[in-house]
Amino acid sequence: MSKVPSKVGVLLFPGFEPLDVFGPVEAFHTISHQSTKIDLVWIGPTLDPVSTAPKEIVMTTVGSTVDTRVVPTHTYDNPPEDLEVLLVPGGVGTRVQVPTSDAAVAFVKKTYPKLKYLITVCTGAGIAARAGVLDGKRATTNKYVWKTTTMTRPEVNWVRTARYVVDGNCWTSGGVSAGIDVTLAWMASVYGQEAARDAANHMEYEWRDDRNWDPFAYMFSDSEGA
Amino acid sequence: MSKVPSKVGVLLFPGFEPLDVFGPVEAFHTISHQSTKIDLVWIGPTLDPVSTAPKEIVMTTVGSTVDTRVVPTHTYDNPPEDLEVLLVPGGVGTRVQVPTSDAAVAFVKKTYPKLKYLITVCTGAGIAARAGVLDGKRATTNKYVWKTTTMTRPEVNWVRTARYVVDGNCWTSGGVSAGIDVTLAWMASVYGQEAARDAANHMEYEWRDDRNWDPFAYMFSDSEGA
């Protein structure tokens, strides 16, 4: 019987989107308390707290100050040797014009061959795509900024209409909240349907487990994105 | 014309539930980039990172290690003078047997009279209830641990069947994911329906804005809780 994966890393970079990270992390927290051994680690550029607000992009014209800072446990240079699953969130920090995104891309490129599974949320698929690990694979990403993300790597078979896509060991999802759905679906596949459903229910989350149901693909079908 | 609130504080304590915080915070992030000035602050016992894993409670029997650490910007002793909205998350750290929950209760008791709005998620309602600020008001909380939370304060008119409840300036919600729904509903009330719907869509979140729709109230109706 093959051992199920337990070592899960969250990739952090400046300008990550909060729910891209914490939707899936909530699912990992919940299942880890119930039925399934999970060792969760946080991988940042350095051990300094990583902010949702990258210096390079001014997010708002209305003068808001919003900034979430999360503490890494590991660095890109020294991730756990036995990492099995990597979660790659999206956010403005994934954009090609944000210099720190290059280091995140390089980390995924270096790490992917050792992984059992890769899960991306939102424009995190852009990081994985730029790392070349989705070439020739089917994948999806955020529907609002679809064009700007997918044009970075035409070698990927981008699937616009999906809430999430599975190809090989790569699980990619649509924008933000879709990360919860893909993570629960991945858990159902790896840990069993009952464990995943139990986690969803304890999150009081109405999990849509149909990977082809994505109203936002329709809603943003004419979007040029931001 | 009365000024709409912009100064929002997130109450942090050891043993907070990740999505209770970051569902609402994602909504604040999103709306803050679009239409609405938001100044978000993080209020912890000290300025040290606050962990989802309280020392007092062993969450798992399967040997998991999961721990999220978030950096506060302010302390209970020195919150911003002009705080207008306080978000109180739930989590195991709200339980009466967790000693650090007493400080969170005292902070809410001290701060509530100056607030324009209080929003609670999940067992965060237990913190607000113990602070006495929900006495005589209608309120709701997590459906799975319903009994253990509501029994801490029978002076509250607990509403089991609601996804969220509004009474005066107190917006209380069900478990975990319900925090997203209550925050978007609060935003619709305060910033307008269009701004809230726009935020939900950019989160690619299928927002249920019916406060009376809560399948988990039914699902966990016989639950003794944990």
Side-chain angles (χ1 to χ4, degrees):
Chain A
M1 199 176 81
S2 69
K3 183 180 162 296
V4 294
S6 63
K7 194 82 170 193
V8 180
V10 181
L11 180 64
L12 292 173
F13 46 80
F16 73 88
E17 190 71 24
L19 193 59
D20 291 18
V21 166
F22 289 101
V25 161
E26 177 64 38
F28 282 113
H29 266 251
T30 303
I31 206 167
S32 82
H33 298 158
Q34 293 173 335
S35 56
T36 306
K37 179 174 159 57
I38 300 287
D39 294 314
L40 191 73
V41 299
W42 299 82
I43 307 170
T46 70
L47 291 178
D48 292 335
V50 182
S51 165
T52 53
K55 291 188 194 73
E56 292 80 7
I57 291 190
V58 176
M59 285 299 296
T60 171
T61 54
V62 291
S64 296
T65 53
V66 287
D67 182 10
T68 297
R69 288 181 297 154
V70 175
V71 185
T73 58
H74 294 75
T75 64
Y76 295 174
D77 288 339
N78 286 298
E81 280 300 314
D82 57 348
L83 194 66
E84 296 174 291
V85 184
L86 182 66
L87 177 79
V88 181
V92 291
T94 65
R95 296 187 190 183
V96 290
Q97 60 268 46
V98 177
T100 49
S101 70
D102 293 340
V105 170
F107 177 76
V108 171
K109 189 169 190 169
K110 174 185 79 167
T111 308
Y112 176 74
K114 303 174 195 168
L115 296 174
K116 290 183 179 166
Y117 297 97
L118 180 73
I119 303 172
T120 74
V121 182
C122 197
T123 58
I127 294 288
R130 285 163 60 197
V133 306
L134 298 178
D135 285 358
K137 290 197 179 76
R138 298 168 67 252
T140 197
T141 185
N142 181 294
K143 300 311 185 307
Y144 181 63
V145 292
W146 180 262
K147 286 187 184 174
T148 46
T149 308
T150 57
M151 67 169 45
T152 63
R153 198 76 175 187
E155 294 86 347
V156 180
N157 300 322
W158 295 104
V159 182
R160 179 143 196 166
T161 54
R163 182 72 167 170
Y164 66 92
V165 169
V166 187
D167 193 335
N169 65 353
C170 294
W171 296 63
T172 57
S173 65
V176 198
S177 308
I180 305 175
D181 294 326
V182 74
T183 301
L184 290 167
W186 176 84
M187 287 176 170
S189 168
V190 172
Y191 303 132
Q193 178 69 25
E194 193 178 351
R197 179 58 68 185
D198 202 42
N201 288 343
H202 281 86
M203 291 163 64
E204 299 194 12
Y205 179 69
E206 287 190 68
W207 175 28
R208 282 199 183 270
D209 52 5
D210 183 347
R211 66 184 72 178
N212 295 312
W213 174 260
D214 191 345
F216 303 100
Y218 164 76
M219 185 180 294
F220 295 131
S221 60
D222 290 328
S223 165
E224 289 295 323
Chain B
M1 199 176 81
S2 69
K3 183 181 162 294
V4 293
S6 63
K7 194 82 170 192
V8 180
V10 181
L11 180 64
L12 292 173
F13 46 79
F16 72 88
E17 190 71 25
L19 193 59
D20 291 18
V21 167
F22 289 101
V25 161
E26 177 65 38
F28 282 113
H29 267 251
T30 303
I31 207 166
S32 81
H33 299 158
Q34 294 173 334
S35 56
T36 306
K37 179 172 159 58
I38 300 288
D39 294 314
L40 190 73
V41 299
W42 299 83
I43 307 169
T46 70
L47 291 177
D48 291 334
V50 182
S51 167
T52 53
K55 290 188 195 73
E56 292 79 7
I57 290 191
V58 176
M59 283 300 295
T60 171
T61 54
V62 291
S64 296
T65 54
V66 287
D67 182 11
T68 297
R69 288 182 297 155
V70 174
V71 185
T73 58
H74 293 75
T75 65
Y76 295 173
D77 289 338
N78 285 299
E81 281 299 313
D82 56 349
L83 195 66
E84 297 174 291
V85 184
L86 182 66
L87 177 78
V88 181
V92 290
T94 65
R95 296 186 189 183
V96 290
Q97 61 267 48
V98 177
T100 48
S101 70
D102 293 340
V105 169
F107 176 77
V108 172
K109 190 169 188 169
K110 174 184 80 169
T111 308
Y112 176 74
K114 304 173 194 167
L115 295 175
K116 290 183 179 165
Y117 296 97
L118 180 73
I119 303 173
T120 74
V121 183
C122 197
T123 57
I127 294 288
R130 286 162 60 195
V133 306
L134 299 178
D135 285 359
K137 290 197 179 77
R138 298 168 67 253
T140 197
T141 185
N142 181 294
K143 301 310 185 311
Y144 182 63
V145 292
W146 180 262
K147 286 187 184 174
T148 46
T149 307
T150 57
M151 67 169 45
T152 62
R153 198 76 176 188
E155 293 86 347
V156 180
N157 300 322
W158 294 105
V159 182
R160 179 144 195 164
T161 53
R163 182 72 167 171
Y164 66 93
V165 169
V166 187
D167 193 334
N169 65 353
C170 294
W171 296 64
T172 57
S173 66
V176 198
S177 308
I180 305 175
D181 294 326
V182 74
T183 301
L184 290 168
W186 176 83
M187 287 176 169
S189 167
V190 173
Y191 304 130
Q193 178 69 26
E194 192 177 351
R197 179 57 68 185
D198 202 41
N201 289 343
H202 281 85
M203 292 163 63
E204 299 194 12
Y205 179 69
E206 287 190 69
W207 175 28
R208 282 198 181 273
D209 52 5
D210 182 347
R211 67 184 72 179
N212 294 311
W213 174 260
D214 191 344
F216 303 100
Y218 164 75
M219 185 180 294
F220 295 131
S221 59
D222 290 328
S223 165
E224 288 296 322

